[in-house]
Amino acid sequence: MKTRIAVLISGSGSNMQSLAHACRGADFPAKVELVISNNPKAKGIGIADAMGLKTCVINHREFEQRKEFEQQLDIKLRNNRIELVCLAGFMRVLSPFFVQKWQGRLLNIHPSLLPKFRGLNTHEQALKAKEKIHGCTVHEVVNELDSGPILGQAEVPVLPEDTPASLAQRVLAAEHKLYPQVLREFCANL
Ligand code: GAR
């Protein structure tokens, strides 16, 4: 039986697309059952629709409290019998209220080699620190931001002529390979 996953996005959704593409493989141990965006304008929602995936928008702006937003998220996931949640460019911080409900079944991809460069603007941070190697990490989500057990990492070189944008592009290409690999392994061991 394939693990029923939901992918949570906020923007362009390219990692969601790479996960959904991998999940189409007959021997891949997971299936994307739902794509949720907190942002009604996310480009990724259109991509998911075009791929024939079930989509839904839960706009965080419509809730006064973070907890109410997270409650709706949780209800949606449970109603769809989701077993594992993959954050893929989901740009809302999830509070302990949600994280505790899904702990051990909540993965994230982050555009740096954690524990280096938590938070935002990781490519700027890497360039500023004059790193020669940069990359991305898939990890389990815990209460502390961009922490939690590391499940896999991919490295890319930092080139002398790199800008944040060129580096982001190279890292993103590595993310698209890493996330499906880690997901496959994680589900195989569930
Ligand atoms: C990716 O680089 C992802 O690692 C990053 O946002 C981008 C989303 O791209 N996530 C974070 O920074 C989370 N803190 P995508 O929407 O095309 O997958």
Side-chain angles (χ1 to χ4, degrees):
M1 282 283 275
K2 288 187 175 222
T3 303
R4 297 172 64 85
I5 72 166
V7 186
L8 271 52
I9 64 170
S10 299
S12 46
S14 69
N15 276 293
M16 175 280 300
Q17 193 174 6
S18 85
L19 290 175
H21 186 73
C23 284
R24 285 185 171 167
D27 68 339
F28 198 88
K31 181 164 184 244
V32 179
E33 296 289 349
L34 182 61
V35 176
I36 303 179
S37 174
N38 66 304
N39 169 12
K41 292 188 180 144
K43 188 178 140 210
I45 282 290
I47 294 173
D49 282 336
M51 289 180 89
L53 299 169
K54 184 172 176 182
T55 59
C56 131
V57 173
I58 303 179
N59 185 348
H60 65 277
R61 291 177 198 279
E62 290 173 4
F63 301 88
E64 265 178 35
Q65 307 281 336
R66 189 179 290 270
K67 190 174 167 184
E68 290 167 27
F69 164 67
E70 293 181 352
Q71 224 149 15
Q72 284 311 306
L73 213 51
D74 182 57
I75 289 168
K76 196 61 158 180
L77 294 169
R78 288 178 199 282
N79 284 348
N80 283 275
R81 293 182 287 116
I82 298 304
E83 298 169 298
L84 180 69
V85 177
C86 295
L87 307 182
F90 184 70
M91 303 309 278
R92 296 296 296 167
V93 172
L94 292 166
S95 78
F97 167 78
F98 184 89
V99 170
Q100 263 148 36
K101 286 179 189 292
W102 287 89
Q103 195 135 22
R105 292 177 299 146
L106 185 54
L107 310 185
N108 181 42
I109 188 154
H110 182 77
S112 79
L113 294 172
L114 290 172
K116 284 185 178 173
F117 314 129
R118 296 188 166 108
L120 298 175
N121 305 319
T122 55
H123 311 303
E124 284 90 334
Q125 290 189 60
L127 288 174
K128 211 169 159 193
K130 304 204 181 310
E131 295 290 323
K132 295 264 186 308
I133 302 286
H134 184 41
C136 51
T137 302
V138 177
H139 64 96
E140 284 190 45
V141 176
V142 294
N143 287 338
E144 196 188 334
L145 187 68
D146 299 331
S147 304
I150 290 175
L151 301 171
Q153 293 188 306
E155 295 183 347
V156 304
V158 181
L159 305 179
E161 64 274 22
D162 264 331
T163 61
S166 66
L167 190 52
Q169 207 176 9
R170 195 172 309 118
V171 171
L172 196 58
E175 292 181 39
H176 296 160
K177 288 190 194 147
L178 179 70
Y179 212 169
Q181 279 168 11
V182 171
L183 179 64
R184 177 191 281 277
E185 227 169 279
F186 191 85
C187 292
N189 292 320
L190 274 180

